[in-house]
Each structure stands twice: as C-alpha cells, then as structure tokens.
Amino acid sequence: MLDHIKEGNPVEISKNLTFEDELQPHPEVFSPAHLEERAAEIARTHLLSSPGDHGFDLPARLEENKHSLFSAYKSLSNAARTAPLTPSAEWLVDNFYIIEEQLREAHQDLPRKYYRELPKLETGSLAGYPRIYRLAYEIISHTDNQFEPAVLRTFLGSFQKTTDLTIGEIWAFPISLRLVLIENLRRLADKIVQSRADRFAADQLAGQLAKFSGKEFSGKTFEILAKNFDEGKLTEKFSQAFLVQFAARLYEGEDFTGYALEKLERRLRPEGVTLELLAHREYNRQAAAQVSVANIVGSMRLLSALDWREFFESVSLVDRLLRDDPANAYAGMDFATRDNYRSEVERI
C-alpha cells in the first residue's frame, strides 16, 4: 500500500470492509415484550434437522474468532504506541483480559461430543446451528449485546410455551450467549482494525500531496489526485473512514487543499453524499461501535457472575414437573441430588 502511495499510484484499501458494510444499520433493539413475541414466533416456525446431524462446526469457528481477536489486540496495542486509539479500540485493548478469559471458558465449556448432541436447525439463516444458539443470537442481536437475567428467563419461558427445550440445551444457553458475544466482538474488532488501516492510508496519501504541493501546484499533485479519484465510484473504491480522514487532513493543509476538497465534493455529489454527511456518519459509526464493545464487555462480566445453576432451575420444565412431587421430597434435596434426578430423566 505504501509503495503505491509513494509512487503516486491509486490507493487500494478496504478489501474486507466496504463502504456499504460501514452503513449497515444495527438490528432493531426490541423491548422485553417484543422479545417475548419473537421467542414465541421462533418456537412456532422453526424446524429441526435429523437427530445426529453434526451441523455447523462451532468449535472450529470459535478457534477462528480467537485467533482473529488476538491478532486485533496485538495490532491495536502496537498502534497505540504511536497514535491515539478510537474509543471502541481503547475499550477492546483495555478489557482484553476479560475477553481472553471468556475465550478460555468457551473452549472449556464446548466439548465436541456435547455440542453434537444439541438439536440443530434445518432451515433459515442459521441452518446447521444449534437451536439454543439461535435463541442466544436473537436476544443479543436485539439488545445491542446487552441483556438482563430477567429478560433471559422470560425469553426462554415464552419459547417453551410452545416448544420444550431439552435439559442439555438449557445448560448450553450460557455458552451459546458467550459464543455469540465473541462472534459479534470479532466482527467489530475486524472493522476497527481495518478502519484504522484506512485512516493511516489516508494520512499517507495526504502527506504525499502536501509534500509535492508546497506553495504552488505541481504536476505531481494533479497526477496523484487523478490516479486516485478520477475513475469509479469513490464510495466503492474507498471506505468511509478513509474519505473522512483524507478530507480532515486536507482541511489542515494549505494552497492545494481547496482544489482537492472541491474535487472530492464534486466526485461524491453524484453518489448522493457529501463530505459533511460522511463525517457525520463516521462519527455516529464510531460512537455506536464504542457502545457495542462496551455492552459486550459488560455482558461478558455478567455471564461470569450469574449463578447458572439457579437460572437453569428457574427455566427448566423438567425441574418444574419434578417439584410437583406430592411429598415435596424433590424440592428438599440439595442441588447435586436434584441434578442426578434430572440426568436420569434426560437419559430415559
């Protein structure tokens, strides 16, 4: 990339992050009542694949996400030594010890044999995934990665008014929530790292223009601008982060900047955007990313703090039936004994 910039050749960036990706809206945030309706709808409409279907390889995906997050952490930590990080990047770096712990717990709680036994979905965008993963995905997607224990209980309760969850699925709910949070964080981290690389490329290009411009325009100035901005849609060639950073650098410059800014505005106008609009969108995108990363970290803390044994018994229909014992013997047992009873029911 830098060789292209030094020679005045067109800049090639954002292979993994398109302008359209940056403008993708967050899933709608649902109220608790809307979440209950969503759970009931899924219960009525979902289809399961045949028993024994191994489905999507979530353990392998977890390993991919782990490597990607460690790579992002290393990249951002190194970058922080020379320039300030965006707020979302700071959140990721400062709280990576929590993320690392979640990755470690996820590996421990997802043995392949246990995973293969979970009922898998046959249809939909998450076909091949465990049904319980779909429920975790729905909650996290429609709360912007932030949830309360009471919401989790009512969501599963609404689902089970139509379809029972197995004992194994309910025990797999915490790890499913953790896996979805890790997946979402990996996607955010990829965008954070790529956007930083794009802003760096914009700085390099602006620096080359300033070097060649001086107090008078040079042929090299026009050549660099022409090669980078004369052909194709700018919002397809460059990310929003690049365009906003490049414009910001031009505003800081002298002499040539008026012409360059005017050229950018003229080229962007047919694409339905302006530099002012892009700057506004980029600010909102970074703010939303900070909130999402903070929510993920907070939810990861909550996952480690919750008493999942108590949660399990509060939502398990099998546990509810066993507590109807006329002698009330089951309710008086300790947790380990009650769990042995439930295990026997599951085996039968």
Side-chain angles (χ1 to χ4, degrees):
M1 182 194 302
L2 297 184
D3 289 339
H4 279 285
I5 293 173
K6 291 176 182 177
E7 297 167 7
N9 291 329
V11 177
E12 297 180 4
I13 60 173
S14 297
K15 297 302 183 184
N16 299 316
L17 177 61
T18 66
F19 186 83
E20 288 72 20
D21 287 335
E22 292 176 304
L23 300 183
Q24 286 296 317
H26 283 277
E28 181 184 356
V29 174
F30 288 173
S31 67
H34 196 170
L35 277 173
E36 287 188 60
E37 294 173 4
R38 182 64 173 161
E41 178 189 354
I42 296 170
R44 291 191 305 268
T45 59
H46 79 282
L47 294 174
L48 294 180
S49 58
S50 302
D53 180 10
H54 290 180
F56 180 78
D57 194 345
L58 265 179
R61 179 61 176 176
L62 174 61
E63 193 65 23
E64 292 176 13
N65 288 341
K66 173 185 174 182
H67 288 303
S68 182
L69 284 168
F70 270 93
S71 177
Y73 171 71
K74 182 178 179 180
S75 173
L76 294 172
S77 297
N78 290 336
R81 297 170 184 165
T82 56
L85 297 176
T86 60
S88 58
E90 283 187 2
W91 263 95
L92 193 151
V93 170
D94 291 345
N95 294 280
F96 198 76
Y97 69 98
I98 296 173
I99 299 163
E100 190 173 4
E101 179 185 349
Q102 296 296 311
L103 289 165
R104 184 167 53 251
E105 290 186 18
H107 275 286
Q108 293 172 353
D109 296 342
L110 193 65
R112 286 187 176 274
K113 182 179 183 299
Y114 175 49
Y115 171 71
R116 285 197 293 266
E117 293 174 354
L118 295 173
K120 310 296 191 305
L121 294 170
E122 183 175 326
T123 59
S125 59
L126 291 179
Y129 284 78
R131 172 171 61 180
I132 195 66
Y133 183 94
R134 165 76 187 281
L135 298 182
Y137 170 84
E138 289 289 339
I139 290 176
I140 291 173
S141 294
H142 295 296
T143 59
D144 192 10
N145 304 286
Q146 188 177 40
F147 48 78
E148 296 294 334
V151 172
L152 301 180
R153 290 188 180 92
T154 55
F155 186 85
L156 294 188
S158 179
F159 182 89
Q160 292 190 104
K161 289 178 182 178
T162 301
T163 303
D164 297 353
L165 291 168
T166 68
I167 290 175
E169 284 182 292
I170 298 175
W171 279 124
F173 190 52
I175 180 61
S176 298
L177 291 168
R178 184 171 282 117
L179 290 173
V180 176
L181 289 172
I182 290 171
E183 178 74 28
N184 287 355
L185 184 61
R186 179 257 174 93
R187 294 175 185 272
L188 282 166
D190 286 348
K191 291 183 179 182
I192 290 168
V193 170
Q194 184 61 60
S195 293
R196 184 171 184 83
D198 291 352
R199 287 190 293 273
F200 180 76
D203 286 339
Q204 295 297 304
L205 182 59
Q208 289 301 310
L209 284 172
K211 174 183 176 182
F212 289 122
S213 295
K215 293 185 177 180
E216 296 182 0
F217 288 127
S218 71
K220 196 68 173 177
T221 300
F222 292 106
E223 179 184 343
I224 293 173
L225 287 172
K227 284 184 176 181
N228 282 282
F229 300 109
D230 273 2
E231 296 182 3
K233 294 180 64 175
L234 296 190
T235 53
E236 291 180 354
K237 292 176 62 177
F238 303 107
S239 71
Q240 178 174 279
F242 176 93
L243 292 170
V244 170
Q245 182 68 12
F246 185 65
R249 287 295 305 275
L250 293 181
Y251 279 117
E252 297 172 359
E254 300 176 1
D255 302 322
F256 77 98
T257 58
Y259 169 78
L261 284 168
E262 181 183 349
K263 182 181 183 66
L264 276 182
E265 287 279 17
R266 188 170 62 250
R267 291 282 286 106
L268 287 169
R269 201 170 296 123
E271 300 177 36
V273 292
T274 63
L275 290 175
E276 182 179 1
L277 177 61
L278 289 183
H280 178 70
R281 286 177 175 174
E282 178 65 9
Y283 173 81
N284 288 340
R285 185 185 68 81
Q286 290 189 23
Q290 179 188 4
V291 170
S292 293
V293 173
N295 285 349
I296 289 173
V297 171
S299 294
M300 285 178 168
R301 289 179 183 273
L302 178 62
L303 285 177
S304 296
L306 276 176
D307 182 347
W308 290 104
R309 300 192 308 176
E310 186 276 331
F311 179 89
F312 171 88
E313 293 190 332
S314 71
V315 298
S316 170
L317 298 183
V318 170
D319 188 81
R320 192 176 304 169
L321 287 172
L322 290 173
R323 287 179 185 274
D324 287 338
D325 165 27
N328 202 32
Y330 176 81
M333 299 173 182
D334 60 22
F335 179 86
T337 306
R338 291 196 301 271
D339 201 39
N340 285 336
Y341 270 72
R342 291 188 296 260
S343 298
E344 188 63 18
V345 171
E346 186 176 26
R347 185 192 65 80
I348 294 171

